Amino acid sequence: MSNLIPEPAVKRMPMYYRYMQKLETEGRIYISSRELAELTGLTASQVRQDMNFFGSTGRQGCGYPVAEIRYDLGRLLGLDREQSFIIVGMGNLGMALVHYEPLAEKGFVLSAAFDNAEEKIGMCVGGIAIQPMNEIENVVKMQSVKLAVLTLPSNTAQEVGERLYQAGIRGFWNFAPVDLYLPQDASIVNVHLDASLEMLSYRMAHADLF
Amino acid sequence: MSNLIPEPAVKRMPMYYRYMQKLETEGRIYISSRELAELTGLTASQVRQDMNFFGSTGRQGCGYPVAEIRYDLGRLLGLDREQSFIIVGMGNLGMALVHYEPLAEKGFVLSAAFDNAEEKIGMCVGGIAIQPMNEIENVVKMQSVKLAVLTLPSNTAQEVGERLYQAGIRGFWNFAPVDLYLPQDASIVNVHLDASLEMLSYRMAHADLF
């Protein structure tokens, strides 16, 4: 399982994890590649290939063991343990993420929040007081936190990203609508919220074909 | 170009569009599949297959014509015209999306915003006054708007989704952390914000392999 899983399969892992969680809750023991294909909108052979990448093999005539795959995927995704994160930029999006339940449910624990606006500093959100940005280096080092959410304006994201990297952050969940460029050992996900709206726009325009 | 493009290629369309926009701004006329592969992290043969799905052919020895592909992709994605949308649920996430610049840049125009909280009704955001939810049917019909953003709590998303469908909405950009189930002629994108964080978590755990 320590082999590199191809990027497109990695992108599908959270989706599989979500369906496996749901199936487990519903009491399902096994699921066939065909049924998984129907759920996910993929082909059955794609599902079998993905499962193979994740190190999971089906039982002939039964299908894939739901609980086992949910467990394996959770471990691969690092969801089997708590992970602390900080949020930098406490505008509306930062505030929304503090209260976004799936994060806590998946073991992501908010450990600090930063903003530069004076009226926000000291404000309590999600049980945590917002701190000024010049505290970032101290806090990141003291708490040895590795994961940061960037909810910043486009023009400051890169600069703050570099500061966070210097302080020891290695995972960047970036919501600013610009790509971050950081050294190779940084893991970056640039979230392009509008991309999924564009996909929706495509589907609406071609709804008769679906 | 009216043939159905396979779902995985559709999912990559917004990303290609983004890179083509960037390349066009930089004055690039052609780009090779190899260079596109490097930019996107895909293989060159995957890029060629995708371009083929999008109806674009490269020129031998030159590569793909940047402006032409940007134009074609924009048309496929429905970005060549303005599209009105409404937001239902003006919490922090709704507020954040009103001010999320890429939406307006791509031609998505906010035409109405709704919430049930009395203290929010009448409040002006992005040049628009928040209206009570019982105005939804009137407004959707009067403005014949087809696209709605749902930034609602999990427990009301499905019910409000059904109301919006009844009123004539056919495109649903759903941020509530539950999947929406609506009739077949509805186009739905359930946004799972946490999925990209899980991918980041995977990459951080396996950073030595990248």
Side-chain angles (χ1 to χ4, degrees):
Chain A
M1 287 224 282
S2 63
N3 289 337
L4 188 59
I5 299 171
E7 186 65 12
V10 170
K11 286 196 173 149
R12 287 190 287 269
M13 278 171 62
M15 178 189 66
Y16 284 117
Y17 182 78
R18 198 156 41 80
Y19 282 115
M20 290 300 173
Q21 262 192 321
K22 196 161 170 259
L23 289 163
E24 198 178 4
T25 313
E26 292 165 5
R28 288 291 299 271
I29 309 295
Y30 287 101
I31 184 161
S32 68
S33 56
R34 200 168 45 180
E35 205 181 334
L36 257 179
E38 262 168 49
L39 277 175
T40 58
L42 299 164
T43 64
S45 83
Q46 179 74 78
V47 167
R48 284 191 294 270
Q49 194 185 53
D50 286 342
M51 289 300 142
N52 205 33
F53 286 138
F54 307 152
S56 303
T57 43
R59 312 251 193 295
Q60 190 70 39
C62 290
Y64 293 94
V66 171
E68 193 180 309
I69 291 176
R70 203 266 312 140
Y71 177 83
D72 287 347
L73 286 176
R75 225 163 43 131
L76 279 168
L77 291 169
L79 306 181
D80 55 340
R81 56 200 157 81
E82 289 202 340
Q83 291 187 70
S84 297
F85 70 98
I86 59 169
I87 299 187
V88 187
M90 292 304 293
N92 284 311
L93 190 54
M95 294 286 188
L97 290 173
V98 169
H99 301 290
Y100 190 65
E101 287 162 21
L103 300 193
E105 282 164 15
K106 301 278 171 65
F108 295 99
V109 181
L110 179 66
S111 72
F114 301 92
D115 201 289
N116 258 345
E118 265 192 41
E119 67 275 17
K120 284 184 188 160
I121 292 162
M123 242 180 79
C124 233
V125 286
I128 273 178
I130 298 176
Q131 300 182 70
M133 307 260 286
N134 59 22
E135 286 297 324
I136 285 179
E137 282 78 4
N138 281 339
V139 172
V140 168
K141 278 171 196 163
M142 289 277 287
Q143 308 190 353
S144 5
V145 56
K146 294 286 170 212
L147 180 58
V149 182
L150 276 74
T151 39
L152 290 161
S154 311
N155 58 341
T156 58
Q158 179 64 33
E159 181 199 323
V160 175
E162 288 169 18
R163 258 181 77 185
L164 289 167
Y165 179 85
Q166 289 292 338
I169 294 288
R170 286 299 175 267
F172 297 80
W173 199 29
N174 174 37
F175 284 81
V178 287
D179 288 356
L180 282 190
Y181 298 95
L182 293 168
Q184 272 238 292
D185 61 336
S187 302
I188 306 169
V189 169
N190 296 304
V191 181
H192 297 281
L193 283 180
D194 51 323
S196 69
L197 179 58
E198 290 172 23
M199 247 181 62
L200 176 60
S201 165
Y202 172 80
R203 286 195 197 156
M204 288 173 72
H206 303 82
D208 50 321
L209 295 167
F210 283 89
Chain B
M1 286 223 281
S2 62
N3 290 337
L4 188 59
I5 299 171
E7 186 65 13
V10 170
K11 286 196 173 149
R12 287 190 286 270
M13 278 171 61
M15 176 190 68
Y16 284 117
Y17 183 78
R18 197 156 42 79
Y19 282 115
M20 289 301 172
Q21 263 192 321
K22 195 159 172 262
L23 290 163
E24 197 178 3
T25 313
E26 292 165 6
R28 288 292 298 272
I29 310 296
Y30 288 101
I31 184 160
S32 68
S33 54
R34 199 167 48 180
E35 205 180 334
L36 258 179
E38 263 168 48
L39 276 175
T40 58
L42 299 163
T43 65
S45 83
Q46 178 74 78
V47 167
R48 285 191 294 269
Q49 194 186 52
D50 285 343
M51 290 299 142
N52 205 33
F53 286 137
F54 308 152
S56 303
T57 43
R59 312 252 193 295
Q60 191 69 40
C62 290
Y64 292 95
V66 171
E68 195 181 307
I69 291 177
R70 203 264 314 137
Y71 177 84
D72 288 347
L73 286 176
R75 226 163 42 131
L76 279 169
L77 291 169
L79 306 180
D80 55 340
R81 57 200 156 81
E82 289 202 341
Q83 291 187 71
S84 298
F85 70 99
I86 60 169
I87 300 187
V88 187
M90 292 305 292
N92 284 312
L93 190 53
M95 295 286 189
L97 290 172
V98 169
H99 301 292
Y100 190 66
E101 287 162 21
L103 301 193
E105 282 164 15
K106 302 277 171 66
F108 295 99
V109 181
L110 180 65
S111 72
F114 301 92
D115 201 289
N116 258 345
E118 265 192 41
E119 69 275 18
K120 283 183 188 161
I121 291 163
M123 241 180 81
C124 232
V125 286
I128 272 178
I130 299 176
Q131 300 181 70
M133 306 260 286
N134 58 22
E135 286 298 323
I136 286 180
E137 282 79 3
N138 281 338
V139 172
V140 169
K141 279 170 197 165
M142 290 277 287
Q143 307 190 353
S144 5
V145 55
K146 295 286 170 211
L147 179 59
V149 181
L150 277 73
T151 39
L152 290 161
S154 312
N155 57 342
T156 58
Q158 178 64 33
E159 182 200 323
V160 175
E162 287 169 19
R163 258 182 75 185
L164 290 167
Y165 179 85
Q166 288 293 337
I169 294 290
R170 287 299 175 270
F172 297 81
W173 200 29
N174 174 38
F175 284 81
V178 287
D179 288 356
L180 281 190
Y181 297 96
L182 293 168
Q184 271 239 292
D185 61 336
S187 302
I188 307 169
V189 169
N190 296 304
V191 181
H192 297 280
L193 284 178
D194 51 323
S196 70
L197 180 58
E198 291 172 22
M199 248 182 60
L200 176 59
S201 165
Y202 172 81
R203 286 196 196 154
M204 288 172 73
H206 303 82
D208 50 321
L209 295 167
F210 284 89

